[in-house]
């Protein structure tokens, strides 16, 4: 009964107290209602349009040691590669020809990719494809670096906060990584005029429902332009590789709650969700997600950006087919936050 009231208030007002969030997270009774209200909200803002982002995984080298991630520096079994400027540009060209108008350059924190190396790539992409957006997802960098990359033309930056609880953050990361550093990066990115994405893993090791409530409250306060969430998926060569995957139903419910809390936010149905379950991506869209990120990385590196095991590799054709099969359409536009 209490949860029912909280769900109705969320659908009406888009905000909730921590206690109300906890009520919704503790029961599945309101899930169907939340999902249908969230999709209605997404339909009001985006109609049946889904935006595609072409993901180019530029490097599997990483100087960090996040305990959940297969690319962590200590993972001797990880296969390391980095794409050349030529590789990146030809992946983008392929995507552009297929209608993509956002390129996401993602990678581990690879010292090779200095500002001097990234700036020309960003400038070339922006010059060749003036109607396309460039998104970066390259982890924590200095404010000066974010500034240079922004001045080179980068439009957006994805940097998940991973968890808003400092103690929980400490269980997922090595000692020298700090939640406060991550938060500072997010603030800097916003100040520099990027469209900024934050987010977290669902069902990460040691995560409690209270942590998730804290994540939702942080996101409400920070108001990112994009929110990336997906289930935790174990990578067997990491210290957290024996923990179970995050749950499908919790991830889908959280997408719905996020849509209701942030009607205009750009909300992907992530690769992790598609990897967790056949039909996971479709469930995400039905719960209010409006973005899908097909993979543009060249065939020679496929399977090597192994942040978790059995990562799905989905091409533009594959995701388009799935999206259209459930009554949604792709639009070949940048799809900026409005
Ligand atoms: N180095 C960049 C990109 C990291 S990969 C950065 O630090 O932002 C992008 C996201 O994948 C991470 O932010 C994390 O939330 C997610 N991820 C990493 N390992 C994962 C795992 N084992 N299961 C699910 N998601 C994972």
């Amino acid at each position: 009964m209490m949860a029912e009231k909280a769900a109705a208030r969320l659908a009406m007002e888009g905000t909730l107290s921590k206690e109300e969030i906890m009520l919704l997270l503790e029961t599945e009774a309101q899930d169907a209602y939340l999902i249908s209200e969230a999709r209605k909200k997404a339909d009001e803002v985006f109609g049946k349009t889904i935006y595609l982002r072409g993901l180019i995984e530029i490097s599997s080298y990483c100087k960090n040691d996040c305990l959940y991630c297969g690319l962590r520096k200590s993972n001797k079994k990880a296969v390391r590669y980095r794409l050349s400027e030529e590789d990146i540009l030809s992946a983008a060209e392929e995507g552009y020809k297929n209608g993509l108008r956002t390129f996401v350059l993602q990678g581990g924190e690879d010292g090779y990719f200095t500002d001097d190396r990234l700036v020309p790539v960003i400038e070339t992409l922006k010059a060749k494809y003036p109607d396309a957006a460039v998104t970066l997802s390259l982890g924590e960098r200095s404010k000066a670096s974010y500034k240079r990359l922004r001045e080179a033309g980068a439009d957006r930056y994805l940097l998940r906060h991973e968890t808003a609880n400092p103690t929980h953050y400490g269980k997922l990361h090595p000692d020298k990584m700090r939640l406060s550093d991550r938060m500072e990066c997010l603030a800097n990115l916003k100040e520099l005029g990027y469209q900024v994405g934050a987010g977290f893993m669902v069902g990460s090791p040691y995560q409690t429902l209270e942590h998730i409530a804290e994540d939702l409250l942080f996101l409400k306060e920070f108001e990112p332009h994009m929110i990336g969430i997906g289930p935790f998926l174990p990578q067997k060569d990491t210290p957290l590789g024996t923990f179970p995957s995050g749950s499908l139903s919790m991830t889908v419910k959280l997408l719905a709650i996020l849509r209701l809390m942030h009607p205009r936010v750009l909300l992907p149905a992530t690769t992790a969700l598609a990897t967790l379950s056949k039909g996971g991506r479709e469930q995400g869209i039905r719960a209010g997600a409006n973005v899908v990120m097909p993979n543009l990385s060249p065939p020679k590196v496929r399977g090597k950006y192994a942040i978790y095991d059995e990562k799905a590799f989905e091409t533009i054709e594959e995701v388009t087919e799935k999206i259209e099969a459930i009554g949604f359409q792709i639009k070949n536009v940048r799809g900026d936050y409005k």
Side-chain angles (χ1 to χ4, degrees):
M1 188 61 209
M2 297 283 280
E4 194 178 327
K5 249 175 130 177
R9 196 166 94 82
L10 174 59
M12 294 271 288
E13 297 169 34
T15 120
L16 285 181
S17 67
K18 188 166 182 181
E19 291 65 35
E20 289 171 308
I21 295 172
M22 297 290 288
L23 283 173
L24 293 182
L25 297 182
E26 280 160 6
T27 168
E28 293 197 350
Q30 301 307 314
D31 288 13
Y33 170 77
L34 291 170
I35 289 165
S36 80
E37 289 299 306
R39 191 57 246 176
K40 269 194 239 164
K41 191 65 85 183
D43 284 349
E44 283 170 26
V45 180
F46 302 102
K48 295 293 180 194
T49 297
I50 300 293
Y51 299 135
L52 296 188
R53 320 304 197 189
L55 186 61
I56 306 173
E57 295 153 334
I58 68 170
S59 176
S60 68
Y61 287 89
C62 193
K63 68 169 159 54
N64 275 337
D65 224 8
C66 306
L67 276 67
Y68 46 83
C69 183
L71 301 183
R72 66 199 307 268
K73 152 182 90 182
S74 302
N75 182 8
K76 299 288 176 281
K77 293 197 178 153
V79 181
R80 308 294 175 175
Y81 73 88
R82 58 174 70 94
L83 297 184
S84 66
E85 172 164 356
E86 216 178 2
D87 290 333
I88 298 170
L89 295 176
S90 66
E93 183 177 340
E94 164 87 7
Y96 193 89
K97 277 194 209 142
N98 285 295
L100 297 192
R101 295 296 179 266
T102 293
F103 305 115
V104 181
L105 310 189
Q106 186 175 86
E109 295 194 13
D110 178 0
Y112 174 88
F113 279 107
T114 57
D115 298 343
D116 285 341
R117 289 206 171 93
L118 287 166
V119 163
V121 179
I122 298 165
E123 284 176 346
T124 307
L125 285 172
K126 294 297 291 187
K128 280 180 97 168
Y129 312 113
D131 60 340
V134 171
T135 303
L136 304 178
S137 179
L138 301 170
E140 297 175 25
R141 302 175 75 97
S142 69
K143 188 172 185 187
S145 168
Y146 288 151
K147 183 160 186 280
R148 267 196 79 192
L149 302 177
R150 173 93 183 109
E151 284 164 0
D155 301 280
R156 309 184 187 135
Y157 205 103
L158 304 176
L159 185 75
R160 291 185 177 178
H161 65 282
E162 310 296 0
T163 169
N165 181 284
T167 307
H168 185 220
Y169 193 92
K171 294 185 176 164
L172 299 179
H173 298 96
D175 272 352
K176 66 173 185 189
M177 286 182 77
R178 301 263 158 223
L179 178 59
S180 55
D181 291 342
R182 203 98 182 150
M183 293 295 182
E184 193 180 322
C185 286
L186 284 167
N188 288 340
L189 289 162
K190 223 183 193 182
E191 194 188 315
L192 290 164
Y194 283 93
Q195 291 174 48
V196 181
F200 61 95
M201 290 178 285
V202 179
S204 60
Y206 312 108
Q207 184 186 55
T208 64
L209 295 183
E210 190 169 4
H211 293 149
I212 299 177
E214 290 169 21
D215 287 320
L216 297 180
L217 292 173
F218 161 71
L219 290 168
K220 188 70 186 175
E221 181 190 303
F222 183 67
E223 279 216 60
H225 307 88
M226 305 168 281
I227 297 177
I229 67 161
F232 163 77
L233 296 168
Q235 201 296 322
K236 61 182 181 330
D237 305 312
T238 63
L240 301 176
T242 58
F243 280 80
S245 299
S247 108
L248 175 67
S249 59
M250 181 60 89
T251 306
V252 172
K253 185 210 306 238
L254 285 167
L255 285 168
I257 292 175
L258 286 165
R259 170 58 64 212
L260 290 169
M261 293 179 84
H262 306 264
R264 294 175 303 149
V265 84
L266 298 161
L267 188 65
T270 55
T271 305
L273 185 56
T275 301
L276 178 68
S277 152
K278 192 171 168 308
R281 174 153 284 151
E282 290 86 338
Q283 285 196 49
I285 293 171
R286 290 206 177 93
N290 75 313
V291 171
V292 172
M293 299 168 69
N295 203 308
L296 286 182
S297 300
K300 65 179 178 192
V301 304
R302 257 174 221 187
K304 296 181 180 163
Y305 191 79
I307 53 179
Y308 47 76
D309 291 328
E310 280 154 81
K311 185 157 133 295
F313 188 98
E314 294 181 299
T315 62
I316 305 174
E317 293 76 19
E318 285 160 350
V319 303
T320 302
E321 195 178 302
K322 285 187 185 172
I323 290 165
E324 290 177 348
I326 57 167
F328 289 79
Q329 303 107 38
I330 308 297
K331 245 195 215 152
N332 297 336
V333 295
R334 279 172 54 125
D336 285 294
Y337 183 83
K338 295 209 177 66

